[in-house]
Amino acid sequence: MTDSTAETLASLREQPLPFCELHVHVEGTLQPAAIFDLAERNQLTLPYRDVNDLARRYEFTDLQSFLDLYYDNLSVLIEERDYYDLALRYLTRAHAAGVRHVELFVDPQAHNMRGVPTGSVLGGVSKAITQATELYGLTAEIIVCVLRDQPVAAAHRMLESVLASGIPLTGIGLDSAEIGNPPALFKKVFEEAHSHGLRRVAHAGEEGPAEYIWQALDDLGAERIDHGIRCLEDDALVTRLAVDRIPLTVCPLSNVRLGVVNELGELPLRQMLERNLVVTINSDDPAYFGGYLDENLEACIAAFGLNYTDLKSLAMNSIQASFASDARRAELMSELST
Ligand code: ADE
Ligand code: ZN
């Protein structure tokens, strides 16, 4: 570790910054040991010898190779309490990482297609949020994601079921296999979600082209882009994102583990910041990609030589980019100026 990395880490320990985590999939926080615990509780037999055998499979060549394992592992989540335990364990870890506000992605379709009702999924997650707020003072909200590699009609059914559940939601997102599944396909679902007051975000420009980011903005009305790192291939798009202050929720360790970049140093984080893009740092699927928010920040401090001032602007971006209430954002912002 260089002296400057050690110095930045020490400053961050002495004066923690109020980060918001805006891109984390609750299903992506399912650790190998928890998969075995849940399988035992639900009397399921896993196709793995033990935790180590499962953990050894956490090597990915691209997004699809990860999604194959991610969806397989969901088989252990059945009852509302499974979702509660999963979400509360993540929120506890996020609190330990210094996270003050979370916007948690949930994939209802991935559970509905296995016969688990939306009420169990969102009920468990929302009760965990209430508990975490009580225990840690952390705030958290739910964003349901459309699986873009499933039919458009399934996305409409998902939206109907989450609205019918009556469980408070903040937004709608778009995730799963990106290439070949352009955002524009889901224009109507997003319009419908917007008419019910949901905020709109979309994964775009992770593996897919800059054109998908344009579609997310123009067809879906996305207020934030998840990943979005391929925007740098299109100057007019960079200008649009910078002028309209559209945040990009970048996930450094995810990009390395999914082969979007060969190594962290190749991630164009500095270029994005230099071009005035509103970048935030996030963990995506921390159980699979080797790091929660604190570990993503530490990796970036080491790879890009970020100093405390850089971290302060990343924390500020995360607060400004969040969908937290005005009062909560003001509260977190005030901690930055002390
Ligand atoms: N679902 C969970 N993680 C994802 C990612 N990184 N990209 C697209 N869909 C996802
Ligand atoms: Zn993601």
Side-chain angles (χ1 to χ4, degrees), residues 25 63 66-67 70 175-176 203 206 227 284-285:
H25 303 259
L63 177 57
F66 152 70
L67 290 171
Y70 168 92
D175 69 2
S176 208
H203 282 56
E206 178 184 16
H227 295 291
D284 205 2
D285 299 284

mmCIF file of all heavy atoms in Angstrom, residues 25 63 66-67 70 175-176 203 206 227 284-285, ligand 1:
data_model
loop_
_atom_site.group_PDB
_atom_site.id
_atom_site.type_symbol
_atom_site.label_atom_id
_atom_site.label_comp_id
_atom_site.label_asym_id
_atom_site.label_seq_id
_atom_site.Cartn_x
_atom_site.Cartn_y
_atom_site.Cartn_z
ATOM 1 N N HIS A 25 -28.121 -5.086 -5.743
ATOM 2 C CA HIS A 25 -29.245 -6.024 -5.929
ATOM 3 C C HIS A 25 -29.343 -6.871 -4.668
ATOM 4 O O HIS A 25 -28.348 -7.533 -4.301
ATOM 5 C CB HIS A 25 -29.001 -6.929 -7.134
ATOM 6 C CG HIS A 25 -28.784 -6.176 -8.419
ATOM 7 N ND1 HIS A 25 -29.763 -6.029 -9.370
ATOM 8 C CD2 HIS A 25 -27.690 -5.500 -8.893
ATOM 9 C CE1 HIS A 25 -29.295 -5.314 -10.379
ATOM 10 N NE2 HIS A 25 -28.040 -4.976 -10.113
ATOM 11 N N LEU A 63 -21.318 -11.073 -18.167
ATOM 12 C CA LEU A 63 -22.544 -10.879 -17.380
ATOM 13 C C LEU A 63 -23.394 -12.159 -17.360
ATOM 14 O O LEU A 63 -23.893 -12.576 -16.310
ATOM 15 C CB LEU A 63 -23.333 -9.692 -17.968
ATOM 16 C CG LEU A 63 -24.687 -9.370 -17.338
ATOM 17 C CD1 LEU A 63 -24.568 -9.101 -15.840
ATOM 18 C CD2 LEU A 63 -25.331 -8.159 -18.036
ATOM 19 N N PHE A 66 -22.359 -14.910 -14.976
ATOM 20 C CA PHE A 66 -22.721 -14.562 -13.589
ATOM 21 C C PHE A 66 -24.221 -14.767 -13.368
ATOM 22 O O PHE A 66 -24.643 -15.377 -12.379
ATOM 23 C CB PHE A 66 -22.312 -13.115 -13.298
ATOM 24 C CG PHE A 66 -23.166 -12.452 -12.260
ATOM 25 C CD1 PHE A 66 -23.090 -12.841 -10.923
ATOM 26 C CD2 PHE A 66 -24.066 -11.444 -12.610
ATOM 27 C CE1 PHE A 66 -23.907 -12.251 -9.966
ATOM 28 C CE2 PHE A 66 -24.878 -10.855 -11.655
ATOM 29 C CZ PHE A 66 -24.797 -11.254 -10.331
ATOM 30 N N LEU A 67 -25.029 -14.258 -14.310
ATOM 31 C CA LEU A 67 -26.495 -14.339 -14.133
ATOM 32 C C LEU A 67 -26.950 -15.796 -14.018
ATOM 33 O O LEU A 67 -27.879 -16.105 -13.267
ATOM 34 C CB LEU A 67 -27.217 -13.632 -15.288
ATOM 35 C CG LEU A 67 -27.093 -12.103 -15.318
ATOM 36 C CD1 LEU A 67 -27.670 -11.539 -16.619
ATOM 37 C CD2 LEU A 67 -27.783 -11.440 -14.113
ATOM 38 N N TYR A 70 -26.369 -16.674 -10.423
ATOM 39 C CA TYR A 70 -27.204 -15.780 -9.602
ATOM 40 C C TYR A 70 -28.656 -16.273 -9.582
ATOM 41 O O TYR A 70 -29.270 -16.396 -8.525
ATOM 42 C CB TYR A 70 -27.047 -14.391 -10.216
ATOM 43 C CG TYR A 70 -27.960 -13.260 -9.827
ATOM 44 C CD1 TYR A 70 -27.612 -12.389 -8.787
ATOM 45 C CD2 TYR A 70 -29.118 -12.973 -10.559
ATOM 46 C CE1 TYR A 70 -28.416 -11.289 -8.491
ATOM 47 C CE2 TYR A 70 -29.919 -11.878 -10.260
ATOM 48 C CZ TYR A 70 -29.563 -11.045 -9.216
ATOM 49 O OH TYR A 70 -30.341 -9.954 -8.928
ATOM 50 N N ASP A 175 -32.905 -4.546 -15.434
ATOM 51 C CA ASP A 175 -31.638 -5.269 -15.291
ATOM 52 C C ASP A 175 -31.671 -6.590 -16.038
ATOM 53 O O ASP A 175 -32.512 -6.802 -16.893
ATOM 54 C CB ASP A 175 -31.252 -5.423 -13.805
ATOM 55 C CG ASP A 175 -32.165 -6.354 -13.023
ATOM 56 O OD1 ASP A 175 -33.094 -6.934 -13.603
ATOM 57 O OD2 ASP A 175 -31.943 -6.502 -11.803
ATOM 58 N N SER A 176 -30.722 -7.470 -15.732
ATOM 59 C CA SER A 176 -30.498 -8.771 -16.381
ATOM 60 C C SER A 176 -29.744 -8.591 -17.714
ATOM 61 O O SER A 176 -29.196 -7.514 -17.957
ATOM 62 C CB SER A 176 -31.804 -9.541 -16.537
ATOM 63 O OG SER A 176 -31.531 -10.931 -16.544
ATOM 64 N N HIS A 203 -30.271 -0.099 -16.048
ATOM 65 C CA HIS A 203 -28.922 -0.561 -16.381
ATOM 66 C C HIS A 203 -28.738 -0.309 -17.885
ATOM 67 O O HIS A 203 -29.565 -0.741 -18.693
ATOM 68 C CB HIS A 203 -28.779 -2.054 -16.147
ATOM 69 C CG HIS A 203 -28.610 -2.468 -14.709
ATOM 70 N ND1 HIS A 203 -29.495 -2.138 -13.734
ATOM 71 C CD2 HIS A 203 -27.637 -3.215 -14.112
ATOM 72 C CE1 HIS A 203 -29.080 -2.658 -12.578
ATOM 73 N NE2 HIS A 203 -27.957 -3.322 -12.787
ATOM 74 N N GLU A 206 -23.402 -1.170 -19.663
ATOM 75 C CA GLU A 206 -22.513 -2.035 -18.859
ATOM 76 C C GLU A 206 -21.746 -2.886 -19.865
ATOM 77 O O GLU A 206 -20.551 -2.703 -20.069
ATOM 78 C CB GLU A 206 -23.356 -2.907 -17.909
ATOM 79 C CG GLU A 206 -22.534 -3.875 -17.051
ATOM 80 C CD GLU A 206 -23.419 -4.795 -16.185
ATOM 81 O OE1 GLU A 206 -24.626 -4.912 -16.449
ATOM 82 O OE2 GLU A 206 -22.866 -5.419 -15.249
ATOM 83 N N HIS A 227 -24.423 1.692 -14.156
ATOM 84 C CA HIS A 227 -23.163 1.427 -14.886
ATOM 85 C C HIS A 227 -22.911 2.600 -15.835
ATOM 86 O O HIS A 227 -22.354 3.589 -15.416
ATOM 87 C CB HIS A 227 -23.170 0.090 -15.644
ATOM 88 C CG HIS A 227 -23.251 -1.097 -14.736
ATOM 89 N ND1 HIS A 227 -22.217 -1.460 -13.909
ATOM 90 C CD2 HIS A 227 -24.242 -2.002 -14.517
ATOM 91 C CE1 HIS A 227 -22.559 -2.544 -13.224
ATOM 92 N NE2 HIS A 227 -23.796 -2.884 -13.566
ATOM 93 N N ASP A 284 -23.120 -3.319 -6.504
ATOM 94 C CA ASP A 284 -23.829 -4.170 -7.470
ATOM 95 C C ASP A 284 -24.276 -5.503 -6.836
ATOM 96 O O ASP A 284 -25.413 -5.609 -6.376
ATOM 97 C CB ASP A 284 -22.952 -4.398 -8.716
ATOM 98 C CG ASP A 284 -23.760 -4.726 -9.961
ATOM 99 O OD1 ASP A 284 -24.997 -4.752 -9.890
ATOM 100 O OD2 ASP A 284 -23.146 -4.949 -11.027
ATOM 101 N N ASP A 285 -23.393 -6.506 -6.848
ATOM 102 C CA ASP A 285 -23.727 -7.828 -6.288
ATOM 103 C C ASP A 285 -22.562 -8.238 -5.383
ATOM 104 O O ASP A 285 -21.736 -9.089 -5.758
ATOM 105 C CB ASP A 285 -23.913 -8.838 -7.431
ATOM 106 C CG ASP A 285 -25.042 -8.432 -8.362
ATOM 107 O OD1 ASP A 285 -26.212 -8.600 -7.985
ATOM 108 O OD2 ASP A 285 -24.740 -7.902 -9.448
HETATM 109 N N1 ADE B 1 -28.673 -8.322 -12.100
HETATM 110 C C1 ADE B 1 -27.893 -8.407 -11.025
HETATM 111 N N2 ADE B 1 -26.708 -7.834 -11.254
HETATM 112 C C2 ADE B 1 -26.746 -7.333 -12.515
HETATM 113 C C3 ADE B 1 -25.849 -6.612 -13.324
HETATM 114 N N3 ADE B 1 -24.625 -6.271 -12.914
HETATM 115 N N4 ADE B 1 -26.227 -6.285 -14.570
HETATM 116 C C4 ADE B 1 -27.440 -6.631 -15.007
HETATM 117 N N5 ADE B 1 -28.323 -7.301 -14.285
HETATM 118 C C5 ADE B 1 -27.982 -7.652 -13.040
#
